[in-house]
Amino acid sequence: MTQQVALHPMLNVAIKAARAAGSIINRASLDLDILKINTKSPNDFVTEVDQAAEQVIIETLLQAYPDHAILAEESGRTHGAKHSEFQWIIDPLDGTTNFIHGFPVYCVSIALAHRGVVQQAVVYDPTRNDLFYATRGRGAYLNDRRLRVSKRTRMSDALIGTGFPFRRGDNFKRYMKMFEDVMTQCAGLRRPGAAALDLCYVAAGYYDAFFETGLNPWDVAAGSLIITEAGGLVGNFTGESDFLHQREIVAGSPKIYGQMVQILTPYTRVIKAEEEAATAEAKPSAADAVAEAAQADAAPKKRAAVRIKKPADGQPE
C-alpha cells in the first residue's frame, strides 16, 4: 500500500532534501580517492561531501520554509530564522568515517521540531535507497512498509546495537564495563557506525535495542521519533525522556528497553560529568559557572516531551 498521498507537506520537503543529499553522497562514493578530508578532532572527520550535502539540504528546506530555524552538524545555527518555533535538525552524513573507507553504512538524517518536540523525521540510506520516515502520531515507515519494533521479550534472545566512544576524553574503561554488562546478557552486539541508521534498525525490528554515549541532537532527533512511532521507547540511561542533551541514549522494544535501563542506570551521565570536569580544569576562571550549570542540570525535571533546545539557548522552548 502506497503512503505517498498521505505524507505531511513538511515531511515531503524533508524527503526531497534527503534524497538530494543522498545523490551527492552516492556520486562522491564513486571517487573516494579524490575526496578532501579534514579532521575536526582525532577520529572525527568532515569531508567536502558532508558540507555539500548539508548545503543542498538547507537550501531545499529554506526554499520551502524560509522562516524556519536550522541546527546542522557542520554549520551550527548560521542559517534560517534563529528564533523560529520550527527548527530543522540535520546530520548531512552520519557515518563519515565509514563513508571515507568505502564501508557502506551511512545515512542522511533530517528532523523537524516544533517548540522543541520532534514532529517530522527522515533517515535516508543512499547505498540501499532505503527511506525511513515518520510524522508524529501517524506511524513510522520504511519505504512504503509500516514499521514495528520487535516482539522479543528476553535479553538472552536480543540483538543489541551500540556505538563505541572514539573522541579524546571519552571514558573507555567505563564503556568497556558497560559493554561487558550488556554483552554477557544478550544474544549479540553490533556496531556498524551510524547512529541514526542504528535507531531506524530498532524501529524496523532488526535490533531489539540500541545504546550509545556521546551523541549529539542531530544524531538522534530523527531516529528517536521513528522508534516511538514504531512502538518503541527511547530515553537516557535512567529511562527518562530527557536524552537529547544528556549525550546518552538507550532505545528498544518496550520489554527489552526496560531490561536495558536496569543494566545501564549505573553508567548514566558519564560523558556529561567528564566534560564539565574538563571544562573546569581547562578554564579555572569559569569553574564557578560550570559548577552552577551542573547543579542546575542535576535538579529533577519533569518533562512532558523531549526538548531539542536547552533553556540556556535563549530560543523559544
Side-chain angles (χ1 to χ4, degrees):
M1 186 175 111
T2 298
Q3 298 297 325
Q4 291 301 110
V5 291
L7 292 188
H8 190 284
M10 290 180 181
L11 184 64
N12 260 327
V13 172
I15 289 171
K16 181 183 174 187
R19 288 195 184 279
S23 295
I24 289 170
I25 293 165
N26 274 343
R27 281 199 302 274
S29 71
L30 304 174
D31 291 304
L32 288 175
D33 52 331
I34 61 168
L35 193 66
K36 289 179 187 165
I37 303 165
N38 295 314
T39 305
K40 290 192 275 191
S41 62
N43 302 327
D44 198 0
F45 305 102
V46 61
T47 70
E48 55 193 340
V49 180
D50 295 70
Q51 290 157 340
E54 183 168 291
Q55 187 178 349
V56 76
I57 291 168
I58 291 170
E59 284 172 1
T60 304
L61 298 177
L62 291 183
Q63 186 177 9
Y65 302 107
D67 297 332
H68 285 191
I70 302 281
L71 174 61
E73 177 172 13
E74 308 309 338
S75 57
R77 301 174 188 272
T78 57
H79 303 274
K82 291 186 182 179
H83 300 292
S84 172
E85 290 185 348
F86 290 93
Q87 184 182 50
W88 293 95
I89 304 161
I90 301 162
D91 191 340
L93 178 53
D94 187 23
T96 300
T97 303
N98 285 349
F99 174 77
I100 289 166
H101 289 82
F103 186 71
V105 180
Y106 42 81
C107 64
V108 181
S109 177
I110 302 173
L112 174 66
H114 179 248
R115 294 184 177 178
V117 180
V118 178
Q119 301 291 339
Q120 311 292 338
V122 175
V123 174
Y124 180 54
D125 175 352
T127 68
R128 293 164 189 77
N129 194 26
D130 275 346
L131 187 76
F132 298 86
Y133 57 93
T135 294
R136 182 169 290 277
R138 293 197 193 177
Y141 294 85
L142 165 54
N143 301 322
D144 292 327
R145 180 170 64 83
R146 181 76 184 259
L147 293 180
R148 298 300 300 177
V149 294
S150 82
K151 293 184 172 67
R152 289 185 192 87
T153 58
R154 295 188 302 183
M155 274 293 291
S156 57
D157 297 332
L159 184 64
I160 312 291
T162 188
F164 302 146
F166 63 89
R167 295 177 182 86
R168 182 179 290 162
D170 285 347
N171 191 329
F172 291 96
K173 287 182 181 176
R174 182 67 70 96
Y175 179 81
M176 290 310 291
K177 288 179 189 171
M178 185 164 58
F179 184 91
E180 184 180 1
D181 273 358
V182 176
M183 182 177 66
T184 53
Q185 295 186 55
C186 70
L189 269 176
R190 299 291 181 267
R191 198 278 190 192
L197 209 48
D198 284 322
L199 292 170
C200 291
Y201 287 0
V202 173
Y206 306 159
Y207 292 148
D208 302 291
F210 171 80
F211 71 100
E212 188 166 355
T213 59
L215 293 175
N216 292 298
W218 48 80
D219 297 311
V220 298
S224 61
L225 177 63
I226 292 169
I227 285 174
T228 55
E229 287 297 318
L233 298 173
V234 188
N236 64 15
F237 285 180
T238 56
E240 296 153 14
S241 64
D242 180 22
F243 61 88
L244 274 158
H245 293 285
Q246 296 291 344
R247 295 176 68 72
E248 64 184 39
I249 187 171
V250 57
S253 59
K255 289 277 171 64
I256 301 296
Y257 173 86
Q259 294 167 75
M260 286 292 291
V261 166
Q262 285 187 311
I263 297 168
L264 297 173
T265 293
Y267 301 99
T268 190
R269 313 283 292 276
V270 174
I271 298 287
K272 197 168 188 66
E274 285 177 359
E275 284 182 343
E276 285 166 355
T279 306
E281 223 173 86
K283 299 180 181 176
S285 60
D288 290 341
V290 171
E292 279 176 21
Q295 193 175 3
D297 208 40
K301 297 174 188 172
K302 288 188 180 176
R303 303 199 177 195
V306 172
R307 293 174 186 266
I308 302 301
K309 304 167 194 161
K310 295 180 183 174
D313 212 58
Q315 298 197 26
E317 279 294 313

